[in-house]
Amino acid sequence: MATTTKKAPKKTKPKPRAASSADAVAKLKETNAKLGLENKELRRKLQARDRDLTESLEHQTATAEVLGIISRSPTDVQPVLDAIVESAARVCGIDDVVLRLREENSFVSRAHFGPIPVPPSRVEISIDEPQYRWMREHGTLHVPDVNKWNDFQVVSAGGWRSRLTAPLRQQGKIVGILNARRTEVRPFTPAQIKLLETFADQAVIAIENVRLFKELTESLEQQTATSEILGAIASSPTDIQPVLDTIAKSAARLCDATDAQIIRLDGNGIVPVATYGALSPTHGGPIPANRESPAGRAILDRRTLHIRDLAIDVETEFPAAAVFQKRLGHRTMLATPMLREGVSIGAILIRRVEVRPFTDKQIKLLETFASQAVIAIENVRLFKEIQERNAELREALEHQTATSEVLSIISRSPTDVKPVLDAIVESAAKVCGIDDVVLRLHEGTAMISRAHFGSIPISIGRVEVSIGEPQFRWMREHGTLHVPDVQGQNEFQLGVAGGYGTFLAVPLRQQGDLVGALYAHRTEVRPFTPAQIKLLETFADQAVIAIENVRLFQELKESLERQTATSEILGVIASSPTDIQHVLNVIAENAARLCDATDAIIWRVDGSDLRRAAKYGAHSSGAIGEAWPLNRGRGWVPARAVLDRETIHVHDLLREVETEFPESKTTQQSTGARTVLVTPLLREGVSIGAIFIRRSEVRPFTEKQIALLKTFADQAVIAIENVRLFKELGER
């Protein structure tokens, strides 16, 4: 019994149980270690995601701020450029940013932020230099470390190591560069590169806006000056001096010259007759008219003379002007002859005390002033020489007054062409004694009536035209078409349904293209005089000027509206990082309003359905959240855009609903939609929805409106992605 009792405890073997417990502890420690590593990795990813999200919001806020400055500075580009370089440096952590614009063969510094000294403000360039050839072919140039860059030589005189150069492109050409530099080796991230490229695009937008504003301002100033000169001509029919004084003043002011002088041929010499500016008052007798003075050479050669630096050429080319040049100190000079029927009767010259050549526009403008001076001189000559021709004189004054009035209306109606066209047809009828005047504009293949004055019934508003018709071929090749007796000729099939006997058609030309015509009819056979024809041609030119002014204003207005809408949407995105509904509502409203659509709908992909996420407009009667199955297929317009990942533009849905889009038939019938446009919302190439706009009439959307809708689609994707990232971050 004792022996048996001693052996029993040995069989229990407690040591294996101790070993099993140790293994469990080890496994538990291993599991805890793995969990710790996973938690650490998860925290790292969340921190990285948080940094990316913060960076994205900072980038969006910076671009929104620049867009806001663009909208507030339509006439001054400098605040925009300063904001761009400062925002780029601050948001992207860049030591130094400089923005240069191209002028001929140089890059000129226009904005700089940072402590690194920039090279001289004007840097000569060569289009064959490797870095500019790279940017033309590939776009942005990123040099992570200049000391390890071997593709081509880059200068690092400022002590910088990492560099990024984003080109400013306009119509495919490099018009400037945005240089970002870091003193240490710290390459730019893809997000920073994208932001700097966005800043470069915004700089181009701002420059273009300011250019349009300046062109418009110059155009209005020129028209006002022309109106003043014509007014002076009309108010001084026997006194040429006020007209010449007005022309000299306008020439100096609008051509940005130190002074202006008008000289006349008097026998074999030239005499100053009007001046404006401090350089030389009108005085002295005639001086010889020879080629040894700039004015004499312009008169004798009957061509415009542009001297970039008179101090260099005066001794050899113009010795007669040496004394005056040394005394007055003028350097750059422009002289254009005043030609009457090909004969020089004088010249207008303008001067600058510094070396600064005149632009092509200023040269052309001075030639216009010379033409106006000739008109004024000729008018006074006619008044003094032919007193008995009072009737013709009154006619000339009426013509000038009429054109002056039209020019005044142009200056007062820069955004509405209708008052100008109405004034033109009424003035033409009254001043020229015309029974009926109609102005038509060429749109597509038709001539559309835009203004009418008279008692003769006109044909329907839209008249189809053929470029092969004799009258249009004549106007393209020869200009104004004058048919003194409609029934007495067979060359032109003009018709006599309106009961007219004499016909005149003046083409409206814009850059050589026929954009319309001014038609004048008389019920009796009474040919137009040369003066009347010239006046009607002037009216036609004024109509083209008015149309172009309104077009520029409209383009500028649309550009500002688009920028304002983009800024508003970006602001909403930044201020509503978790509320996608508010952002989509704003996008839908702007899409409908700026694309001139009846309504707009934003759809989002939800599994196998398209769900209505936002809407704007009277036709969008469905509820938010309403779903339509994607399996309706490509016969439903939004589904086709989502499935094909392409923009769909249907000019007339009613004509295609039976064949191309049968699944859209019910919607078309209930809403009456005719023209529709839908573009997909693409995130990394995957359709996540679509934005859809409609019109109740057949009126296709323009290329600008299509591009604008794609921009709204991109903004919707950005907003959706931001909200998704915020939600993911919140959940984690």
Side-chain angles (χ1 to χ4, degrees):
M1 294 295 292
T3 304
T4 303
T5 302
K6 291 180 181 179
K7 292 182 178 180
K10 294 182 180 180
K11 294 180 180 180
T12 57
K13 298 182 179 179
K15 289 184 179 180
R17 286 197 300 271
S20 176
S21 176
D23 290 342
V25 171
K27 288 182 179 181
L28 182 59
K29 290 182 178 180
E30 182 181 356
T31 300
N32 289 336
K34 289 181 179 180
L35 288 174
L37 291 175
E38 289 178 357
N39 288 335
K40 184 177 180 181
E41 178 64 17
L42 181 58
R43 284 195 299 272
R44 186 190 65 78
K45 289 182 178 180
L46 286 175
Q47 290 171 354
R49 178 64 61 87
D50 187 48
R51 287 195 301 272
D52 292 344
L53 186 58
T54 301
E55 183 183 41
S56 175
L57 287 175
E58 289 178 347
H59 291 186
Q60 294 169 16
T61 302
T63 56
E65 290 174 354
V66 173
L67 286 172
I69 296 173
I70 291 175
S71 65
R72 296 192 301 271
S73 303
T75 60
D76 186 7
V77 75
Q78 193 58 47
V80 181
L81 303 185
D82 292 339
I84 285 174
V85 296
E86 182 178 356
S87 295
R90 175 172 49 82
V91 176
C92 296
I94 306 171
D95 297 314
D96 190 87
V97 182
V98 60
L99 190 149
R100 294 181 179 273
L101 298 182
R102 182 172 180 175
E103 295 182 7
E104 296 181 351
N105 291 324
S106 299
F107 274 134
V108 181
S109 175
R110 293 302 186 197
H112 173 237
F113 187 89
I116 302 178
V118 298
S121 61
R122 195 171 193 91
V123 178
E124 294 295 325
I125 65 171
S126 170
I127 59 174
D128 295 324
E129 287 187 19
Q131 59 177 316
Y132 301 117
R133 188 167 60 248
W134 167 277
M135 285 189 287
R136 284 199 311 274
E137 296 174 357
H138 306 287
T140 300
L141 173 61
H142 183 201
V143 183
D145 185 354
V146 65
N147 293 343
K148 296 181 180 180
W149 181 262
N150 297 319
D151 287 5
F152 47 81
Q153 183 179 4
V154 289
V155 182
S156 60
W160 47 268
R161 295 293 299 275
S162 293
R163 167 184 167 181
L164 182 76
T165 303
L168 276 63
R169 294 183 181 273
Q170 191 173 32
Q171 296 180 350
K173 297 181 179 179
I174 295 180
V175 298
I177 54 175
L178 182 63
N179 258 342
R181 303 177 291 184
R182 285 172 171 157
T183 55
E184 61 181 349
V185 178
R186 185 157 51 91
F188 293 85
T189 67
Q192 292 170 341
I193 294 173
K194 184 65 176 177
L195 178 61
L196 289 170
E197 291 173 341
T198 300
F199 281 142
D201 293 339
Q202 289 178 326
V204 173
I205 292 172
I207 293 167
E208 182 66 9
N209 283 349
V210 172
R211 184 188 67 81
L212 288 174
F213 259 103
K214 287 184 178 179
E215 285 189 357
L216 187 59
T217 301
E218 291 174 358
S219 176
L220 290 175
E221 287 178 345
Q222 293 170 16
Q223 294 167 22
T224 302
T226 301
S227 179
E228 291 175 354
I229 293 169
L230 290 173
I233 293 173
S235 62
S236 304
T238 59
D239 186 5
I240 190 63
Q241 194 60 48
V243 181
L244 297 183
D245 290 341
T246 301
I247 292 175
K249 178 180 178 181
S250 297
R253 181 169 55 86
L254 296 184
C255 295
D256 192 20
T258 306
D259 79 330
Q261 189 174 70
I262 300 177
I263 57 177
R264 293 282 305 277
L265 273 176
D266 183 10
N268 293 325
I270 54 178
V271 179
V273 294
T275 62
Y276 180 83
L279 285 186
S280 57
T282 304
H283 68 280
I287 62 174
N290 54 45
R291 301 182 76 256
E292 294 184 355
S293 68
R297 184 173 297 187
I299 292 172
L300 295 177
D301 292 352
R302 295 179 297 177
R303 64 183 181 86
T304 299
L305 181 65
H306 189 196
I307 305 171
R308 284 156 174 76
D309 190 354
L310 183 62
I312 295 177
D313 301 329
V314 69
E315 297 292 346
T316 57
E317 291 289 322
F318 308 103
V323 175
F324 295 102
Q325 192 279 325
K326 292 178 181 178
R327 176 166 59 87
L328 301 176
H330 51 286
R331 303 292 294 273
T332 296
M333 188 171 182
L334 181 66
T336 190
M338 299 188 300
L339 301 176
R340 183 179 65 202
E341 297 179 355
V343 178
S344 290
I345 63 172
I348 299 181
L349 56 92
I350 54 178
R351 299 176 287 197
R352 287 172 174 162
V353 293
E354 75 275 16
V355 178
R356 182 161 56 92
F358 294 94
T359 66
D360 292 338
K361 286 185 178 180
Q362 292 167 338
I363 295 173
K364 186 66 177 178
L365 184 58
L366 189 66
E367 292 173 347
T368 300
F369 285 132
S371 299
Q372 291 175 332
V374 171
I375 293 172
I377 293 169
E378 184 67 6
N379 283 347
V380 172
R381 184 184 69 83
L382 289 173
F383 265 98
K384 290 181 177 180
E385 290 183 359
I386 316 173
Q387 293 291 336
E388 67 274 10
R389 296 177 62 183
N390 291 330
E392 293 183 8
L393 183 59
R394 284 195 298 270
E395 182 184 42
L397 284 174
E398 287 176 351
H399 291 186
Q400 294 164 13
T401 302
T403 56
S404 178
E405 290 174 352
V406 172
L407 286 170
S408 297
I409 296 173
I410 291 175
S411 65
R412 296 195 303 269
S413 303
T415 61
D416 186 6
V417 76
K418 183 63 175 170
V420 180
L421 302 186
D422 289 340
I424 285 175
V425 295
E426 182 176 357
S427 297
K430 291 181 176 179
V431 175
C432 296
I434 307 171
D435 298 312
D436 192 87
V437 182
V438 60
L439 190 149
R440 293 181 181 274
L441 297 183
H442 195 181
E443 299 179 11
T445 60
M447 295 287 276
I448 311 297
S449 175
R450 293 304 183 193
H452 173 239
F453 187 89
S455 58
I456 302 176
I458 62 172
S459 56
I460 58 175
R462 188 176 186 88
V463 178
E464 296 296 325
V465 300
S466 170
I467 60 175
E469 289 187 20
Q471 61 171 305
F472 298 113
R473 186 169 62 248
W474 171 278
M475 285 191 287
R476 284 198 309 275
E477 296 176 357
H478 305 287
T480 300
L481 172 61
H482 184 203
V483 183
D485 186 355
V486 172
Q487 299 185 27
Q489 57 84 39
N490 297 317
E491 184 176 359
F492 302 101
Q493 298 297 321
L494 301 174
V496 292
Y500 56 84
T502 296
F503 174 87
L504 184 75
V506 182
L508 274 62
R509 294 184 182 275
Q510 192 173 30
Q511 297 180 349
D513 295 331
L514 186 67
V515 298
L518 181 64
Y519 297 95
H521 312 97
R522 283 174 172 156
T523 55
E524 61 181 345
V525 177
R526 183 160 53 93
F528 293 88
T529 66
Q532 292 169 341
I533 294 174
K534 183 65 177 177
L535 177 62
L536 290 170
E537 290 173 341
T538 300
F539 281 141
D541 293 339
Q542 289 175 329
V544 172
I545 291 172
I547 293 168
E548 181 65 9
N549 282 350
V550 172
R551 185 189 67 80
L552 289 174
F553 259 102
Q554 189 63 30
E555 285 189 357
L556 185 60
K557 179 182 176 183
E558 292 174 356
S559 176
L560 290 175
E561 286 179 345
R562 289 195 296 269
Q563 294 166 19
T564 302
T566 300
S567 178
E568 179 184 353
I569 292 170
L570 289 173
V572 172
I573 293 174
S575 63
S576 304
T578 61
D579 183 8
I580 189 61
Q581 190 61 52
H582 181 41
V583 180
L584 296 183
N585 289 341
V586 172
I587 291 175
E589 178 181 352
N590 281 285
R593 182 169 55 83
L594 296 185
C595 293
D596 192 18
T598 307
D599 69 338
I601 301 174
I602 297 178
W603 298 93
R604 291 187 64 181
V605 174
D606 184 7
S608 61
D609 295 333
L610 272 182
R611 193 172 297 278
R612 184 182 281 109
K615 63 178 184 175
Y616 180 84
H619 285 175
S620 300
S621 58
I624 298 297
E626 182 180 359
W628 293 71
L630 267 174
N631 59 17
R632 293 178 67 175
R634 300 175 72 253
W636 183 39
V637 181
R640 180 177 296 191
V642 171
L643 295 174
D644 293 353
R645 293 177 297 175
E646 292 181 351
T647 297
I648 305 297
H649 187 196
V650 185
H651 291 196
D652 188 356
L653 183 60
L654 181 60
R655 298 182 61 180
E656 300 188 35
V657 73
E658 297 291 346
T659 57
E660 284 291 318
F661 304 102
E663 295 297 329
S664 297
K665 183 176 182 178
T666 302
T667 304
Q668 192 281 324
Q669 291 175 343
S670 63
T671 62
R674 300 295 296 273
T675 297
V676 299
L677 177 66
V678 58
T679 192
L681 308 181
L682 299 177
R683 184 179 65 202
E684 297 180 355
V686 177
S687 289
I688 64 171
I691 183 167
F692 178 70
I693 58 177
R694 300 179 288 202
R695 284 173 175 164
S696 56
E697 76 275 16
V698 178
R699 182 161 54 91
F701 293 93
T702 65
E703 294 297 329
K704 288 184 179 180
Q705 291 167 338
I706 295 172
L708 183 58
L709 189 66
K710 292 179 180 179
T711 299
F712 286 131
D714 293 339
Q715 291 174 331
V717 172
I718 292 172
I720 294 169
E721 183 67 6
N722 282 349
V723 172
R724 184 183 68 82
L725 291 174
F726 261 99
K727 288 183 177 179
E728 283 188 4
L729 185 61
E731 291 171 357
R732 296 198 178 193

